[in-house]
Amino acid sequence: DADVTQTPRNRITKTGKRIMLECSQTKGHDRMYWYRQDPGLGLRLIYYSFDVKDINKGEISDGYSVSRQAQAKFSLSLESAIPNQTALYFCATSDYGQGGEKLFFGSGTQLSVL
Amino acid sequence: GENVEQHPSTLSVQEGDSAVIKCTYSDSASNYFPWYKQELGKRPQLIIDIRSNVGEKKDQRIAVTLNKTAKHFSLHITETQPEDSAVYFCAATASGGSYIPTFGRGTSLIVHP
């Protein structure tokens, strides 16, 4: 089945370290997103990309950067991790040809910054 | 931009009871309203959606209603079962163009056997 895959599933890192979370998809979708989930705060958008040459900031992009290496790959980087970036991170995709509004989520990456 | 408010944040019911989760949105351009269910340790998954040209949509035990004038929409679950226990997120967006879904903060539904 076509899917959205995130690696790693869990990551523990230390303050100040640079880390990368990776997302790949076999759905053939053009749009990709990175969300952060914190208890009680829902799903907040970090960055999104409508195609390979398009990168846009979401509501909470400070401290993060992204790279769209190919249509199927969208990675999220924390340049210098800090403890309040401890959260569950989800990658998602959508298909503009189908309206673009239905999101398909990856399995998530639980990040802990000590 | 769009703002979505979701209530309640936690909902506890007995098995067999009904559950209702309510959301309001602010942008009149929004025309698509999905609901996602996230079971413990799992990813959010779309369970039902409604478009602005429809007032109600039903799928077995779940239904969604939309009031465009008041800018609110609701998820109704009847005859709740323990497997309905999850976090439910509402969202609002528009089809096509550069619209991005905006999510509510989620409702943790607990169904007691």
Coordinates of all heavy atoms in Angstrom, one line a residue, chain A residues 3-4 9 31 33 35 37 40-43 45 48 50 59 88 90 96 98-108, chain B residues 31-32 34 36 38 41-46 49 51 87 89 93-106:
Chain A
D3 N 2.2 4.7 1.1 CA 2.3 5.1 2.5 C 3.2 6.4 2.7 O 3.9 6.8 1.7 CB 2.8 4.0 3.4 CG 2.4 4.2 4.8 OD1 1.7 5.1 5.2 OD2 2.9 3.3 5.7
V4 N 3.1 6.9 3.9 CA 4.0 8.0 4.3 C 4.9 7.5 5.4 O 4.3 7.1 6.4 CB 3.2 9.2 4.7 CG1 4.1 10.4 5.1 CG2 2.2 9.7 3.7
R9 N 11.6 6.7 14.3 CA 10.3 6.7 15.0 C 10.5 7.4 16.4 O 9.6 8.0 16.9 CB 9.9 5.2 15.3 CG 9.4 4.5 14.0 CD 8.2 5.2 13.4 NE 7.1 5.4 14.3 CZ 6.1 4.5 14.6 NH1 6.2 3.3 14.0 NH2 5.2 4.7 15.4
R31 N 1.9 17.6 -2.4 CA 2.0 18.5 -1.3 C 2.5 17.7 -0.1 O 2.0 16.6 0.2 CB 0.7 19.2 -1.0 CG 0.2 20.0 -2.1 CD -1.1 20.8 -1.8 NE -1.3 21.8 -2.8 CZ -2.2 22.7 -2.8 NH1 -3.0 22.8 -1.7 NH2 -2.4 23.6 -3.7
Y33 N 3.8 18.3 4.3 CA 3.7 19.2 5.4 C 4.5 18.6 6.6 O 4.6 17.3 6.7 CB 2.2 19.3 5.8 CG 1.3 19.6 4.7 CD1 0.8 18.6 3.9 CD2 0.7 20.9 4.6 CE1 -0.1 18.8 2.9 CE2 -0.2 21.1 3.6 CZ -0.6 20.1 2.7 OH -1.5 20.4 1.8
Y35 N 4.1 18.8 10.8 CA 3.3 19.3 11.9 C 4.0 18.9 13.2 O 4.6 17.8 13.2 CB 1.9 18.7 11.9 CG 0.9 19.3 10.9 CD1 0.8 18.8 9.6 CD2 0.1 20.4 11.3 CE1 -0.1 19.4 8.7 CE2 -0.8 21.0 10.4 CZ -0.9 20.4 9.1 OH -1.7 21.0 8.2
Q37 N 2.9 18.0 17.3 CA 1.8 17.8 18.2 C 2.3 17.9 19.6 O 3.2 17.2 20.0 CB 1.2 16.4 17.9 CG 0.0 16.2 18.8 CD -0.7 14.8 18.5 OE1 -0.2 14.0 17.9 NE2 -1.9 14.7 19.0
G40 N -2.7 19.1 24.3 CA -3.5 20.3 24.5 C -3.4 21.4 23.5 O -4.1 22.3 23.5
L41 N -2.4 21.2 22.6 CA -2.2 22.3 21.6 C -2.5 21.8 20.2 O -2.4 22.6 19.2 CB -0.7 22.8 21.6 CG -0.3 23.4 22.9 CD1 1.2 23.9 22.8 CD2 -1.2 24.6 23.3
G42 N -2.9 20.6 20.0 CA -3.3 20.1 18.7 C -2.1 19.9 17.8 O -1.0 19.7 18.2
L43 N -2.4 20.1 16.5 CA -1.4 19.9 15.4 C -1.1 21.3 14.9 O -1.9 22.0 14.3 CB -2.0 19.0 14.3 CG -2.3 17.6 14.7 CD1 -3.3 16.9 13.8 CD2 -1.0 16.8 14.7
L45 N 1.3 23.7 12.4 CA 2.1 23.6 11.1 C 3.4 24.3 11.3 O 3.5 25.4 11.7 CB 1.2 24.2 10.0 CG 1.8 24.2 8.6 CD1 1.9 22.7 8.1 CD2 0.9 25.0 7.7
Y48 N 5.5 23.8 5.0 CA 4.8 23.0 4.0 C 5.4 23.3 2.6 O 6.0 24.4 2.4 CB 3.3 23.3 4.0 CG 2.8 24.7 3.7 CD1 2.4 25.1 2.5 CD2 2.9 25.7 4.7 CE1 2.0 26.3 2.2 CE2 2.4 27.0 4.5 CZ 2.0 27.3 3.2 OH 1.6 28.6 3.0
F50 N 4.4 22.8 -1.6 CA 3.4 22.4 -2.6 C 4.1 21.7 -3.8 O 3.4 21.0 -4.5 CB 2.7 23.6 -3.1 CG 1.6 24.1 -2.2 CD1 1.0 25.4 -2.4 CD2 1.2 23.4 -1.1 CE1 0.1 25.9 -1.5 CE2 0.3 23.9 -0.2 CZ -0.3 25.1 -0.4
E59 N 3.0 28.3 11.0 CA 2.8 29.2 12.1 C 3.9 29.1 13.2 O 4.1 30.0 13.9 CB 1.5 28.9 12.8 CG 1.3 27.5 13.4 CD 0.0 27.2 14.0 OE1 -0.3 27.9 15.0 OE2 -0.7 26.3 13.6
L88 N 5.9 15.4 19.5 CA 5.6 14.4 18.5 C 5.5 15.1 17.1 O 4.7 16.0 17.0 CB 4.4 13.6 18.8 CG 3.9 12.5 17.9 CD1 5.0 11.4 17.7 CD2 2.6 11.9 18.4
F90 N 4.8 15.0 13.0 CA 4.2 14.3 11.9 C 4.4 14.9 10.6 O 4.3 16.2 10.4 CB 2.6 14.3 12.1 CG 2.2 13.3 13.2 CD1 1.8 13.7 14.4 CD2 2.1 11.9 12.9 CE1 1.3 12.9 15.4 CE2 1.7 11.0 13.9 CZ 1.3 11.5 15.1
Y96 N -3.0 17.7 -4.6 CA -3.7 18.9 -5.2 C -4.7 18.5 -6.2 O -5.8 19.1 -6.3 CB -2.7 19.9 -5.8 CG -3.4 21.1 -6.4 CD1 -3.9 22.0 -5.6 CD2 -3.4 21.2 -7.8 CE1 -4.6 23.1 -6.1 CE2 -4.1 22.3 -8.3 CZ -4.6 23.3 -7.5 OH -5.2 24.4 -8.1
Q98 N -6.7 16.1 -6.2 CA -7.9 15.7 -5.6 C -8.4 16.8 -4.6 O -9.2 16.4 -3.7 CB -7.6 14.4 -4.8 CG -7.2 13.2 -5.7 CD -8.3 12.8 -6.6 OE1 -9.4 12.7 -6.2 NE2 -8.0 12.4 -7.8
G99 N -8.0 18.0 -4.8 CA -8.5 19.1 -4.0 C -7.5 19.5 -3.0 O -7.5 20.7 -2.5
G100 N -6.5 18.7 -2.6 CA -5.4 19.0 -1.8 C -5.8 19.2 -0.3 O -4.9 19.5 0.5
E101 N -7.0 18.9 0.0 CA -7.4 19.2 1.4 C -7.4 18.0 2.3 O -7.3 18.1 3.5 CB -8.8 19.9 1.4 CG -9.9 19.0 1.1 CD -10.2 18.8 -0.4 OE1 -9.6 18.0 -1.0 OE2 -11.1 19.6 -0.9
K102 N -7.3 16.8 1.8 CA -7.3 15.6 2.7 C -5.8 15.2 3.0 O -5.0 15.0 2.1 CB -8.0 14.4 2.0 CG -9.4 14.6 1.7 CD -10.1 13.4 1.1 CE -11.6 13.6 0.9 NZ -12.2 12.4 0.3
L103 N -5.5 15.2 4.3 CA -4.2 14.9 4.7 C -4.0 13.4 5.0 O -4.9 12.8 5.6 CB -3.8 15.7 5.9 CG -3.8 17.2 5.7 CD1 -3.3 17.9 7.0 CD2 -2.9 17.6 4.6
F104 N -2.8 12.9 4.7 CA -2.4 11.5 5.0 C -1.1 11.7 5.8 O -0.1 12.2 5.3 CB -2.2 10.7 3.7 CG -3.4 10.5 2.9 CD1 -3.8 11.5 2.0 CD2 -4.2 9.4 3.0 CE1 -4.9 11.4 1.2 CE2 -5.3 9.3 2.3 CZ -5.7 10.2 1.4
F105 N -1.2 11.2 7.0 CA -0.1 11.4 8.0 C 0.8 10.2 8.0 O 0.4 9.0 7.8 CB -0.7 11.6 9.4 CG -1.3 12.9 9.6 CD1 -2.7 13.1 9.3 CD2 -0.6 14.0 10.1 CE1 -3.3 14.3 9.5 CE2 -1.2 15.2 10.3 CZ -2.5 15.4 10.0
G106 N 2.1 10.5 8.3 CA 3.1 9.5 8.6 C 2.9 8.9 10.0 O 2.0 9.4 10.7
S107 N 3.7 8.0 10.4 CA 3.5 7.3 11.7 C 4.1 8.1 12.8 O 3.9 7.8 14.0 CB 4.2 5.9 11.6 OG 5.5 6.0 11.1
G108 N 4.8 9.2 12.5 CA 5.2 10.1 13.6 C 6.7 9.8 14.1 O 7.2 8.7 14.0
Chain B
N31 N -14.4 25.8 3.1 CA -15.5 25.1 2.5 C -15.4 23.5 2.7 O -16.2 22.8 2.1 CB -15.7 25.4 1.0 CG -14.5 25.1 0.2 OD1 -13.5 24.5 0.7 ND2 -14.5 25.5 -1.1
Y32 N -14.4 23.1 3.4 CA -14.1 21.7 3.6 C -13.8 21.5 5.1 O -12.8 22.1 5.6 CB -13.0 21.2 2.7 CG -12.6 19.8 2.9 CD1 -13.5 18.7 2.5 CD2 -11.4 19.4 3.5 CE1 -13.2 17.4 2.7 CE2 -11.1 18.1 3.7 CZ -12.0 17.1 3.3 OH -11.6 15.8 3.5
P34 N -12.9 18.4 7.7 CA -12.7 17.0 8.0 C -12.5 16.8 9.5 O -12.2 17.7 10.2 CB -11.3 16.8 7.3 CG -10.6 18.1 7.4 CD -11.7 19.2 7.3
Y36 N -10.5 14.1 12.0 CA -9.4 13.0 12.1 C -9.5 12.4 13.5 O -9.7 13.0 14.5 CB -8.0 13.6 11.9 CG -7.8 14.1 10.5 CD1 -8.2 15.4 10.1 CD2 -7.1 13.4 9.6 CE1 -8.0 15.9 8.8 CE2 -6.9 13.8 8.3 CZ -7.3 15.1 7.9 OH -7.1 15.5 6.7
Q38 N -7.3 10.0 16.2 CA -5.9 9.5 16.5 C -6.0 8.6 17.7 O -6.2 9.0 18.8 CB -5.0 10.7 16.8 CG -3.6 10.3 17.0 CD -2.7 11.4 17.4 OE1 -3.1 12.5 17.9 NE2 -1.4 11.3 17.2
G41 N -1.0 6.3 20.3 CA 0.3 5.8 19.7 C 0.2 5.7 18.2 O 1.1 5.2 17.6
K42 N -0.9 6.1 17.6 CA -1.1 6.0 16.2 C -1.1 7.4 15.5 O -1.1 8.4 16.1 CB -2.4 5.3 15.9 CG -2.5 3.9 16.5 CD -1.6 2.9 15.7 CE -1.7 1.5 16.3 NZ -3.1 0.9 16.1
R43 N -1.1 7.3 14.2 CA -1.2 8.6 13.4 C -2.7 9.0 13.3 O -3.6 8.2 13.3 CB -0.6 8.4 12.0 CG -1.4 7.5 11.1 CD -0.7 7.1 9.8 NE 0.3 6.1 10.0 CZ 1.1 5.6 9.0 NH1 1.0 6.2 7.8 NH2 1.9 4.6 9.2
P44 N -2.9 10.3 13.1 CA -4.3 10.8 12.8 C -4.7 10.3 11.5 O -4.0 10.2 10.5 CB -4.1 12.3 12.8 CG -2.9 12.6 13.5 CD -2.0 11.5 13.2
Q45 N -6.0 9.9 11.4 CA -6.6 9.4 10.2 C -7.9 10.0 10.0 O -8.7 10.1 10.9 CB -6.7 7.8 10.2 CG -5.3 7.1 10.2 CD -5.4 5.7 9.9 OE1 -6.0 5.0 10.7 NE2 -4.8 5.2 8.9
L46 N -8.2 10.3 8.7 CA -9.5 10.9 8.4 C -10.6 9.9 8.6 O -10.5 8.8 8.1 CB -9.4 11.4 6.9 CG -10.7 12.0 6.3 CD1 -10.9 13.4 6.9 CD2 -10.6 12.1 4.8
D49 N -15.8 13.6 6.6 CA -15.6 15.0 6.2 C -16.9 15.6 5.6 O -17.8 14.8 5.3 CB -14.5 15.2 5.2 CG -14.7 14.3 3.9 OD1 -15.8 13.8 3.7 OD2 -13.7 14.1 3.2
R51 N -18.5 19.0 3.2 CA -18.3 20.2 2.4 C -19.4 21.2 2.6 O -20.5 20.9 3.1 CB -18.2 19.9 0.9 CG -17.0 18.9 0.6 CD -16.8 18.7 -0.8 NE -15.7 17.7 -1.0 CZ -14.4 18.0 -1.0 NH1 -14.0 19.2 -0.8 NH2 -13.5 17.0 -1.1
V87 N -8.2 10.5 20.4 CA -8.3 12.0 20.3 C -8.8 12.3 18.9 O -8.4 11.7 17.9 CB -6.9 12.6 20.4 CG1 -6.9 14.1 20.2 CG2 -6.3 12.3 21.8
F89 N -9.7 15.3 16.1 CA -9.3 16.7 15.6 C -10.3 17.1 14.6 O -10.5 16.4 13.6 CB -7.9 16.7 15.1 CG -6.8 16.5 16.0 CD1 -6.2 15.2 16.1 CD2 -6.4 17.5 16.9 CE1 -5.2 15.0 17.0 CE2 -5.3 17.3 17.8 CZ -4.8 16.0 17.9
T93 N -10.6 24.1 6.0 CA -9.8 24.6 4.9 C -10.7 24.8 3.7 O -11.9 24.7 3.8 CB -8.7 23.5 4.6 OG1 -7.8 24.1 3.6 CG2 -9.3 22.2 4.0
A94 N -10.0 25.2 2.6 CA -10.7 25.3 1.3 C -10.1 24.4 0.3 O -8.9 24.1 0.4 CB -10.7 26.8 0.9
S95 N -10.8 24.0 -0.6 CA -10.3 23.1 -1.7 C -9.5 23.9 -2.7 O -9.8 25.1 -3.0 CB -11.4 22.5 -2.4 OG -12.2 21.7 -1.6
G96 N -8.4 23.3 -3.1 CA -7.6 23.9 -4.2 C -6.8 25.1 -3.7 O -6.7 25.4 -2.5
G97 N -6.1 25.7 -4.6 CA -5.3 26.9 -4.3 C -4.3 26.7 -3.3 O -3.7 25.6 -3.1
S98 N -4.0 27.7 -2.4 CA -3.0 27.6 -1.5 C -3.5 27.4 0.0 O -2.8 27.7 0.9 CB -2.1 28.9 -1.5 OG -2.9 30.0 -1.3
Y99 N -4.7 27.0 0.1 CA -5.3 26.8 1.4 C -4.6 25.6 2.2 O -4.3 24.6 1.6 CB -6.8 26.6 1.4 CG -7.5 27.8 0.9 CD1 -8.0 27.9 -0.4 CD2 -7.8 28.9 1.7 CE1 -8.6 29.0 -0.9 CE2 -8.4 30.0 1.3 CZ -8.9 30.0 0.0 OH -9.5 31.1 -0.5
I100 N -4.4 25.9 3.5 CA -3.8 24.9 4.3 C -4.8 24.5 5.4 O -5.3 25.4 6.0 CB -2.5 25.4 5.0 CG1 -1.5 25.9 3.9 CG2 -1.8 24.4 5.9 CD1 -1.0 24.8 3.0
P101 N -4.9 23.2 5.7 CA -5.9 22.9 6.8 C -5.4 23.5 8.2 O -4.2 23.4 8.5 CB -5.8 21.4 6.9 CG -5.3 21.0 5.5 CD -4.4 22.1 5.1
T102 N -6.4 24.1 8.9 CA -6.1 24.6 10.2 C -6.9 23.6 11.2 O -8.1 23.4 11.0 CB -6.6 26.0 10.4 OG1 -5.9 26.8 9.5 CG2 -6.4 26.5 11.8
F103 N -6.2 23.2 12.2 CA -6.7 22.2 13.1 C -7.2 22.8 14.4 O -6.6 23.8 14.9 CB -5.7 21.1 13.5 CG -5.4 20.1 12.4 CD1 -4.5 20.4 11.4 CD2 -6.1 18.9 12.3 CE1 -4.3 19.5 10.3 CE2 -5.9 18.0 11.3 CZ -4.9 18.4 10.3
G104 N -8.2 22.2 15.0 CA -8.6 22.5 16.4 C -7.6 21.8 17.3 O -6.7 21.0 16.9
R105 N -7.7 22.1 18.6 CA -6.7 21.5 19.6 C -7.0 20.1 20.0 O -6.2 19.5 20.7 CB -6.7 22.4 20.8 CG -6.2 23.8 20.5 CD -5.9 24.6 21.8 NE -5.2 25.8 21.5 CZ -4.5 26.5 22.4 NH1 -4.5 26.1 23.7 NH2 -3.9 27.6 22.1
G106 N -8.1 19.5 19.5 CA -8.3 18.1 19.8 C -9.2 17.9 21.0 O -9.3 18.7 21.9

